[in-house]
Amino acid sequence: MRPRGRTERVRQAVTDATRTLLLEQGYRELSVERVAEVAGVAKSTVYRRWRDTAGLLLELMTELSTGEIPLVDTGSVEEDLLSLARGIAHVYTETNAGPMVLALIAESVQNERVADGLREFWHHRNDRAAESVRRAIERGDLPADTDPVEVIRMLGAPFYYRMLVTHEPLDDDLARRAAATALAAARAGDLRKR
């Protein structure tokens, strides 16, 4: 029992230090040595478990995926998608997730390990979020051949476009439009499984 407790304390200290340094100094200044120093652990511990700064960022994304954006079951696909869209806006405007995601996306352009990690993260995250769409299909609220994950991708796309391209606000109006557009496309049969 003790090793598990110690391992979790080390993981949490390293994750907290990575988050703090990333937000204070940005990705370019992030280093395994500095993270180890702030976390109060040996550099070898960080290198052994996370290998490099990319591994540290992927650990942050894993933590983010465990509950930053709540997934609800209201019995209404409209309400579930709107809640999800509002949750995305909240996480990227009111928490530290925005800078972390942007740092990972930037790093993924040149680092295949980060790109692979992001693909895995989004695969799991979108699949979990798509549960509300699956329930809507089972209730007959959406066409039976709707691709649940594609609905979630369509809902999320406007947020990332604004974050990465236009740098416009992620507000409630965007959340409402993103949810309504994804739902309309699904109902029209435009997001069928291939």
Side-chain angles (χ1 to χ4, degrees):
M1 199 67 165
R2 186 182 180 310
R4 177 176 282 163
R6 183 181 183 290
T7 298
E8 177 55 25
R9 282 192 304 275
V10 167
R11 189 201 66 76
Q12 192 61 56
V14 168
T15 302
D16 290 347
T18 303
R19 182 185 299 105
T20 298
L21 291 170
L22 177 65
L23 294 172
E24 288 176 358
Q25 302 173 356
Y27 181 74
R28 290 192 184 276
E29 301 300 318
L30 191 66
S31 71
V32 169
E33 293 78 10
R34 186 75 179 111
V35 167
E37 180 184 327
V38 170
V41 300
K43 288 186 296 188
S44 59
T45 299
V46 179
Y47 277 115
R48 185 172 51 254
R49 180 156 178 189
W50 291 280
R51 289 179 31 194
D52 54 21
T53 55
L56 293 168
L57 288 176
L58 290 171
E59 180 75 23
L60 286 177
M61 289 298 287
T62 300
E63 188 174 272
L64 175 66
S65 72
T66 60
E68 288 282 344
I69 300 173
L71 303 174
V72 299
D73 180 3
T74 66
S76 161
V77 68
E78 293 92 343
E79 291 301 316
D80 289 354
L81 292 179
L82 180 58
S83 175
L84 175 60
R86 285 179 168 154
I88 292 169
H90 171 78
V91 162
Y92 289 136
T93 59
E94 304 297 326
T95 73
N96 301 328
M100 287 187 289
V101 169
L102 291 174
L104 275 166
I105 290 170
E107 181 64 14
S108 72
V109 173
Q110 298 175 19
N111 186 324
E112 190 58 33
R113 182 167 163 242
V114 174
D116 289 343
L118 274 177
R119 272 190 292 276
E120 184 177 338
F121 169 80
W122 290 120
H123 171 77
H124 292 297
R125 181 67 196 166
N126 289 340
D127 188 59
R128 283 183 54 226
E131 192 57 40
S132 63
V133 179
R134 290 185 193 97
R135 288 190 300 264
I137 293 167
E138 289 171 8
R139 290 191 304 264
D141 296 341
L142 293 174
D145 60 350
T146 300
D147 183 336
V149 171
E150 198 59 32
V151 175
I152 300 306
R153 287 181 184 137
M154 177 167 265
L155 181 144
F159 293 94
Y160 301 102
Y161 182 80
R162 285 191 179 192
M163 285 174 62
L164 295 166
V165 179
T166 66
H167 304 281
E168 294 174 86
L170 308 181
D171 54 22
D172 195 61
D173 184 54
L174 174 64
R176 286 185 295 103
R177 287 180 188 207
T181 301
L183 183 58
R187 284 184 169 151
D190 294 333
L191 301 177
R192 293 184 176 131
K193 292 179 184 174
R194 296 183 187 243

